Each structure stands twice: as C-alpha cells, then as structure tokens.
Amino acid sequence: MTIMAYQYKFERVMSIKESEKDRLMTEYNEAVQSFEKVGQQLYEYLKQKEQLIDEHAVKMRMGLSITDVKQFQLFIDHLEKMIAVYQQKVMSARQTMQLTELKLRDKNMEVKKFEKMKVKDFRRYKETQKELESKQMDEVSIQQYMLKGN
C-alpha cells in the first residue's frame, strides 16, 4: 500500500468550465463597454437637441428668417432620426449585455458546483489516506511485535 498524490477526476472538465467562464467574463465586459458607448452617444444627441431647441427659442424671440427656421427644422429632424437609431442601439446593447450576464451567472454556478465537488472529493481522499496510513501503521506495529516476540 502506497500513498497516492491527490488528483481530482474532473480537473480537466473544471478547467474547461473555468476557461468558458473567463471567456464569458470578457464578453460581458465588452458588452458593458458597448452599452456604455452607445448610451453615451445617445446622451450626446439628446443633449445636442436640447441645446439646439434652447438656442432656437432665444433666436425666435429676437426674430428669425424663414430659411433659418427651415434649417433648424431639418437639423432637428435629422437629430431625431439619429436619436431613434441610437435608442434602438441602446436597447440592443442592453439586451446583449443582460443575456451575456445571464450566461455568465449560469457558468459561474457550474464552476462553483465543480469547486464544491472538488472540496468534497479532496476530503474523501484525505480520509482514505488517513485510513491507509492507519492500516500501514498497524501492519508495521504487528510486524515489529512479531519480530520482537520471536
């Protein structure tokens, strides 16, 4: 009977699960950055529209030509189209981010299950090793007793 080095039987599977988790973490971080980027762009367009409307209101009090009013309206229409596009992008980016977060949570739970299994398996290994050591010690004691007795 010899004492064996501990080797977890699902080590390779656990390693694969951990690398999948790491990949999902990277995807999630990228999704968050993408969401923040399109959200910031949407904010900039909304801010620009608000500033333009405020400036236009001031100019209207002072008097504007028909051409200026038409240009303002064309520019506002363009901004509203861009805002609508970026609202869609924000919704899509949020959805992607949330979906990736769910996948990451699931993978995290999988990895934790394997980690718990490994801890339990290691405890069993330690108990088995103690039993083996105890048996070896008993055998050695018996052999020593037999040698002294003869």
Side-chain angles (χ1 to χ4, degrees), residues 15-143:
S15 173
I16 291 168
K17 297 292 182 188
E18 285 175 343
S19 66
E20 288 172 353
K21 183 186 91 169
D22 292 343
R23 180 186 52 78
L24 281 171
M25 179 62 98
T26 301
E27 280 181 35
Y28 174 72
N29 288 334
E30 289 170 359
V32 168
Q33 287 176 349
S34 176
F35 173 72
E36 289 173 349
K37 184 178 176 182
V38 293
Q40 183 64 36
Q41 190 62 49
L42 174 61
Y43 172 78
E44 293 297 326
Y45 281 124
L46 289 168
K47 186 176 165 184
Q48 187 179 4
K49 179 183 173 187
E50 184 180 325
Q51 288 174 344
L52 197 61
I53 289 172
D54 289 345
E55 288 173 17
H56 184 70
V58 169
K59 289 179 182 177
M60 284 293 283
R61 284 187 222 120
M62 295 168 28
L64 281 175
S65 69
I66 302 263
T67 308
D68 289 339
V69 172
K70 283 182 181 179
Q71 283 181 331
F72 168 78
Q73 195 56 50
L74 285 173
F75 195 66
I76 287 292
D77 289 345
H78 174 71
L79 273 177
E80 286 175 348
K81 287 176 186 171
M82 292 305 293
I83 288 168
V85 165
Y86 273 88
Q87 284 173 332
Q88 281 300 120
K89 286 183 178 185
V90 165
M91 287 181 356
S92 176
R94 179 182 290 123
Q95 215 171 17
T96 300
M97 181 180 69
Q98 289 171 338
L99 182 63
T100 307
E101 183 181 19
L102 282 175
K103 288 179 185 176
L104 179 59
R105 277 191 208 152
D106 289 345
K107 192 58 66 180
N108 221 353
M109 286 178 12
E110 269 185 64
V111 169
K112 286 190 187 297
K113 286 176 186 175
F114 275 97
E115 288 171 349
K116 285 180 182 180
M117 286 171 41
K118 184 176 182 178
V119 167
K120 287 179 183 178
D121 190 61
F122 186 70
R123 282 187 193 138
R124 271 188 251 119
Y125 164 79
K126 285 297 227 186
E127 290 170 7
T128 304
Q129 291 305 102
K130 280 184 182 180
E131 288 173 14
L132 281 174
E133 284 178 23
S134 179
K135 285 180 184 177
Q136 284 178 345
M137 294 299 283
D138 288 348
E139 286 178 18
V140 168
S141 294
I142 290 171
Q143 286 177 0

